[in-house]
Amino acid sequence: MSFSRRPITIVEIDQDFCCHTYGEGQCTAQLGMISARKCFNTFATCQDHANYSPEPLTLRFGMANADLPQDEYVIPSLRSVSTSPTRINVGGRQSRDKPLGRRAEVRIQLQDHPHSDNVVDPYVSERDYNPLERGTFWAKWIKRNPYYQNRPLRVREGFAGQPIDQMQSREYRIDLVAGPDSNGRVTIRAQDILRLADDDKAQAPLQSTGELLADISETATSLTITQAEQSDYEQTNAVAISDEVIRYGSITTDGNGDVVLSSLTRGSDGTEASEHEAGDTVQACLEYISVPPWEVARDLLVEYGNVPSQYIPFADWEDEADRWLTGFTVSRLITEPIGVTTLLGELSEQSLFYIWWDELTQRIEFKVVAPVIGQVPLITQEGNLLQNQTKVDVKPELRASEVWVNFLERNPTESKDDRQNFRRTRVRIDETAASPHEYGERRRYEVYSRWLETDAQVDILAQRLLDRYRTPPVFLKFALDIKDRGLIKTGDPFDIEYKGFTDETG
């Protein structure tokens, strides 16, 4: 099958849409009970929340002057699409970026317009008004779907005549729908799926709601927690009350349904036993003991970061880890909720890997910082780079002539980065890099590691960081010719021939 080479772009939004029919089957809604009109099969308009059961309803938007597919319902209101790719922050070294790098992002502009409510209103034929004369598409859609955040959005790019499901697709999660403004413009902003694990949305462990039922002394060997369930405290055998970690040997419930922890070890894990008052929060801890770091990363993303597991190709993660990180494990006791992105940033820095969202494959990829094996694509100035679109950016502030790694935390309830809270510090120095013949100054890169367990791990980390940052990192920004857009993608290694990179002879 051949297609004309006229490019087209289709934007898809998956909105929640109840699978039930109003007043039939499992839906118990009745006209006049809550409202004088039927719902629009969305949660905001639902009249029977207990039986609301959403399925995705895919809405498609395209350019008005494009050759849109004739066999699909595509609303011709799209004005522009602007995408920004993922920028990986290897090891979390670039302080201006988030620990996991900058999110892939898309900004979409649409033109609002009257609409028949076809597709979006299953009861349109029963309404006592003409939808074309009431409001506009986006004004009504936002009112009916105020809970649009984190819903899937796809940008499909292809050519006229090409089936939609064969077009190249990039997937995001909606962050903002703004408008319509005075000109009827609507702006949608969406980011990659890792936004679900941002610190303001996801923490590990979860904040506990349990409270001490009664005062306890510094020698008490049991305690009772109210306002909680037993399952809230079954993941580990440790809780934190204020700045004390308490280990327990058994967990039960009493006749009132309160949780009882017994066989207590007070002042555990480098903390001090102290008295606590009724009403004090009893925080369930999260603990990893000698666990491979890629397994920790998956657990943080899926169990605490709200990321569906189908986006993590874990078999591929294990293949990559087996090649470079065999036998590498980490341990940590986390005594208070910490942002998942922060935890993943620390873990990736100290375990020498990085993860990112690939909006093309629609997977969270995992790669170890390691030598490249085999041939890689070659990008050349003459054959692939667009003219006047290349920029070299040197980052002298990231250079380091010595690396300090502090590890073996003394007190896990002390969350601040303080060298005194770690039992050991390993230092690797490149004296030559700091000499007057080279850079003429010492620059330190300091790591506060709450994950690493052994001297050997720390030695490897310190040496690799020193090797990487001994000279100022160089960043290259460029644009590829459209014919080469599939040559490389985010995370791929490649070689480059560019006039800004030469040997001594030029």
Side-chain angles (χ1 to χ4, degrees), residues 86-92 99-101 194 297 317 320 325 344-345 347-357 364-370 372 468 490-493:
T86 296
R87 191 163 90 181
I88 299 172
N89 188 2
V90 178
L100 298 184
L194 283 174
W317 284 27
E320 173 74 2
L325 294 176
L344 288 169
L347 184 64
S348 62
E349 174 195 45
Q350 296 161 32
S351 302
L352 296 168
F353 70 81
Y354 49 100
I355 60 175
W356 73 98
W357 170 253
I364 298 174
E365 305 289 0
F366 169 95
K367 188 177 290 292
V368 178
V369 180
V372 176
R468 183 175 183 86
T490 303
D492 285 348

Side-chain angles (χ1 to χ4, degrees), residues 364-429:
I364 298 174
E365 305 289 0
F366 169 95
K367 188 177 290 292
V368 178
V369 180
V372 176
I373 296 177
Q375 291 186 331
V376 297
L378 175 64
I379 304 297
T380 68
Q381 180 174 332
E382 293 76 14
N384 310 105
L385 301 183
L386 289 181
Q387 189 175 7
N388 301 323
Q389 294 293 312
T390 304
K391 178 183 178 182
V392 177
D393 190 11
V394 182
K395 298 284 189 180
E397 69 274 14
L398 298 183
R399 184 183 64 81
S401 60
E402 52 194 74
V403 174
W404 298 23
V405 182
N406 307 286
F407 67 113
L408 298 182
E409 194 173 32
R410 295 181 185 275
N411 183 342
T413 67
E414 293 288 340
S415 58
K416 63 181 180 179
D417 289 339
D418 183 349
R419 200 176 304 135
Q420 298 303 313
N421 194 39
F422 293 85
R423 290 164 49 198
R424 298 181 189 176
T425 299
R426 289 288 180 267
V427 180
R428 290 291 176 270
I429 302 175

